[in-house]
């Protein structure tokens, strides 16, 4: 979640008035809208605020919760997950939401066994979203991560290519140097996509397309992990790296 630091003079009653560089960032870079929430830190205390008003010189944000504990990572981790069999994605959603993902994107890949028709996709998505919601509440997240529509591989590459960093844990990759380097590239405020294959893994062609989209192909160690173990491991690895190395101002 974004966090802006202001002086005590910015507080007027239950609102913060934010101008200058931060206003520009909110309006023109982040393109926030009325109703969006973010944190405002003032005098060592963070408040959860809701954007109420914006014009050419100022943004006004109303305090929703004072002395709010931000539990969000200063980096947005998105899990792109090749559709696994049965209800495995439910477990993956529950666990990765607890670990701090910003969103989950189910992806159709060549070696996926399940094929969902449109009706099933819609019903599944609703169920997946409700699992994300309960996991977010249980783990005291500030936001409820979004489970997106199921994307084709091509659509997933386009979306992942827009991320600041795109990581692909690949079962045939050897050595941890690329993994270490990739983690070291993570900086506060970044969006990081992580694509994990289904039970059948990746086809060579898919790895090639991922590389073309800018992916860093990495290993998660010498053992072959099941898809759900790999998803949880990759997100946990990103989360712990961020928690241990980056401070939480989220900008
Ligand atoms: N069927 C494949 C394994 C697929 S495991 C085989 O037998 O070789 C499912 C997914 O988990 C993989 O596509 C990959 O994204 C991830 N994964 C599993 N083990 C991994 C490892 N050691 N390193 C990196 N990724 C791994």
């Amino acid at each position: 979640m974004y966090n802006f630091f202001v002086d005590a003079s910015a507080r007027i009653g239950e609102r913060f008035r934010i101008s200058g560089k931060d206003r520009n960032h909110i309006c023109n870079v982040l393109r926030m809208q009325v109703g969006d929430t973010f944190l405002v830190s003032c005098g060592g205390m963070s408040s959860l605020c809701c954007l109420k008003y914006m014009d050419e010189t100022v943004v006004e944000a109303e305090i929703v919760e004072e002395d709010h504990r931000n539990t969000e990572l200063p980096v947005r981790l998105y899990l792109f997950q090749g559709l696994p069999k049965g209800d495995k994605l439910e477990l993956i959603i529950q666990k990765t939401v607890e670990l701090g993902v910003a969103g989950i994107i189910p992806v159709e890949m060549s070696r996926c066994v399940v094929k969902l028709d449109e009706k099933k996709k819609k019903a599944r998505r609703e169920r997946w979203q409700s699992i994300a919601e309960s996991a977010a509440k249980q783990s005291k997240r500030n936001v409820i991560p979004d489970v997106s529509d199921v994307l084709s591989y091509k659509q997933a590459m386009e979306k992942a290519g827009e991320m600041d960093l795109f990581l692909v844990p690949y079962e045939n990759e050897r050595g941890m140097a690329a993994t270490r380097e990739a983690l070291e590239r993570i900086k506060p405020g970044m969006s990081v996509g992580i694509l994990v294959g289904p039970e059948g893994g990746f086809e060579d062609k898919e790895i090639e397309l991922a590389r073309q989209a800018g992916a860093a192909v990495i290993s998660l160690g010498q053992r072959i992990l099941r898809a759900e173990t790999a998803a949880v491991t990759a997100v946990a690895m990103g989360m712990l790296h961020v928690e241990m190395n980056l401070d939480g101002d989220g900008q």
Side-chain angles (χ1 to χ4, degrees), residues 5 7 15 20 43 66 69-70 73 121 133 141 160 180 185 206 210 224 247:
F5 292 81
D7 293 338
R15 286 193 178 198
E66 211 143 1
R69 194 166 78 91
N70 183 18
L73 292 168
K121 277 184 192 167
E133 192 171 329
R141 298 277 307 262
R180 192 178 313 113
R185 281 167 57 194
E206 287 173 330
I224 298 285
D247 69 16

Side-chain angles (χ1 to χ4, degrees), residues 16-146:
F16 285 106
R17 286 172 63 84
I18 303 171
S19 54
K21 246 172 54 192
D22 284 341
R23 186 208 70 88
N24 184 49
H25 198 204
I26 290 170
C27 300
N28 303 327
V29 181
L30 303 172
R31 298 185 180 282
M32 285 193 183
Q33 307 290 331
V34 168
D36 284 349
T37 52
F38 50 84
L39 291 172
V40 177
S41 294
C42 181
M45 198 172 77
S46 294
S47 303
L48 179 67
C49 294
C50 177
L51 205 167
K52 288 285 173 192
Y53 170 84
M54 59 212 292
D55 66 22
E56 292 304 303
T57 57
V58 75
V59 159
E60 287 189 13
E62 196 167 83
I63 297 174
V64 178
E65 192 190 326
E66 211 143 1
D67 200 10
H68 177 84
R69 194 166 78 91
N70 183 18
T71 59
E72 293 303 312
L73 292 168
V75 166
R76 281 158 293 136
L77 300 177
Y78 291 92
L79 175 68
F80 291 75
Q81 176 63 55
L83 265 185
K85 278 192 242 170
D87 53 12
K88 273 188 186 167
L89 190 60
E90 297 187 5
L91 178 80
I92 294 175
I93 292 169
Q94 186 189 56
K95 297 305 164 207
T96 57
V97 167
E98 287 171 36
L99 291 168
V101 280
I104 292 148
I105 301 110
V107 186
E108 274 171 340
M109 290 176 54
S110 308
R111 294 188 182 158
C112 288
V113 182
V114 274
K115 296 272 176 274
L116 301 176
D117 60 29
E118 288 310 312
K119 205 171 138 216
K120 270 214 174 119
K121 277 184 192 167
K122 193 169 171 283
R124 287 281 171 92
R125 186 187 175 185
E126 279 168 20
R127 174 153 177 78
W128 291 333
Q129 189 59 51
S130 76
I131 290 168
E133 192 171 329
S134 359
K137 289 196 174 136
Q138 188 273 328
S139 56
K140 305 220 184 314
R141 298 277 307 262
N142 298 135
V143 295
I144 296 166
D146 187 52

